[in-house]
Amino acid sequence: GRAFADEPKLRKKLIGAVRLYNENNFRKAIKILTELLGKADASSDRIPVLLFTALCYSDMGCPPEAVNVYYRMLEIDGRNDRIHSNLGLQLMRLGDTSRALEHYEKAVEYNPDSYFAYVNRGNCYFNQDDYENAEKDALRALEIRGNGKEAASLLAILYALKGDEEAKKKYIRIYVTNGGDGEGLKAAIAHYITATE
């Protein structure tokens, strides 16, 4: 975005930190991002710095740290649907599904076309065995993004559990057509069917 648009040296550092993140060099990225945060005056500078910091913590398997960073971001931009959705995902990883659902609700409220908010909330419902709401959210996500493999995989599992072979095959096809691992999804379906028997 416009992060450090008027400060080319700092923008270059931010791009370098993003490159390190993409290379899975999270600790070094966090070090640079922490330095940049001290120099970030505008919210357009702080949000990207904090976002990549949170993503680093998330990918390092440190959800508590990621949650703390997302809450800092909400202090800057409390109506950002992506922040709420990402925060919900981290809270789910910590087992706090009620707070996760609160943030998914806010994400959907602030952006009714947020594909990942619906997918994430649908997965949260699925994990609570609320298959009806999981199905609604996955279908809404596919309305938003017709090639959404995340939503398609959730629907394939849900319809397999319902015993609807035709629908299951339809969503497996969408998943695979859009780059998903068909064998992996079939194994996941078998796992969930076995777990419910």
Side-chain angles (χ1 to χ4, degrees):
R2 299 230 356 105
F4 301 109
D6 298 330
E7 300 180 67
K9 288 181 182 178
L10 296 179
R11 185 169 178 84
K12 187 175 179 179
K13 276 191 171 189
L14 176 59
I15 291 169
V18 171
R19 180 183 49 78
L20 289 167
Y21 164 77
N22 287 330
E23 294 170 353
N24 298 326
N25 194 342
F26 304 124
R27 293 191 190 286
K28 194 167 183 181
I30 289 172
K31 182 179 178 186
I32 293 170
L33 292 165
T34 302
E35 291 171 16
L36 281 171
L37 190 58
K39 299 174 183 177
D41 295 325
S43 61
S44 61
D45 300 335
R46 289 191 306 270
I47 290 287
V49 170
L50 289 169
L51 175 63
F52 278 99
T53 303
L55 292 172
C56 285
Y57 283 127
S58 173
D59 289 0
M60 288 170 62
C62 302
E65 290 81 358
V67 165
N68 290 336
V69 176
Y70 282 121
Y71 277 122
R72 287 177 67 190
M73 292 173 72
L74 287 177
E75 291 173 7
I76 299 166
D77 184 2
R79 298 181 58 85
N80 186 308
D81 63 284
R82 288 182 184 172
I83 296 170
H84 281 288
S85 184
N86 287 2
L87 175 55
L89 190 58
Q90 296 307 308
L91 289 167
M92 261 182 54
R93 289 181 178 154
L94 292 172
D96 192 344
T97 53
S98 61
R99 280 194 343 181
L101 282 171
E102 288 174 18
H103 286 285
Y104 294 141
E105 293 293 330
K106 288 179 182 178
V108 168
E109 176 187 337
Y110 298 142
N111 182 0
D113 293 326
S114 176
Y115 171 80
F116 282 109
Y118 284 103
V119 168
N120 290 342
R121 189 174 70 178
N123 282 316
C124 189
Y125 284 134
F126 179 81
N127 290 335
Q128 294 180 313
D129 298 327
D130 183 350
Y131 298 153
E132 183 179 336
N133 280 318
E135 179 183 2
K136 286 178 187 175
D137 276 355
L139 288 170
R140 176 65 181 119
L142 272 183
E143 285 176 19
I144 295 166
R145 185 183 296 173
N147 63 351
K149 67 181 183 179
E150 300 85 0
S153 68
L154 178 55
L155 287 166
I157 293 168
L158 286 165
Y159 289 121
L161 292 172
K162 282 184 172 184
D164 187 336
E165 283 297 309
E166 188 176 323
K168 176 187 88 171
K169 289 177 184 175
K170 172 185 174 180
Y171 292 107
I172 289 174
R173 202 167 33 256
I174 291 171
Y175 178 74
V176 170
T177 301
N178 291 289
D181 172 14
E183 293 307 312
L185 178 55
K186 289 176 185 174
I189 289 170
H191 165 77
Y192 286 112
I193 289 175
T194 303
T196 59
E197 290 177 345

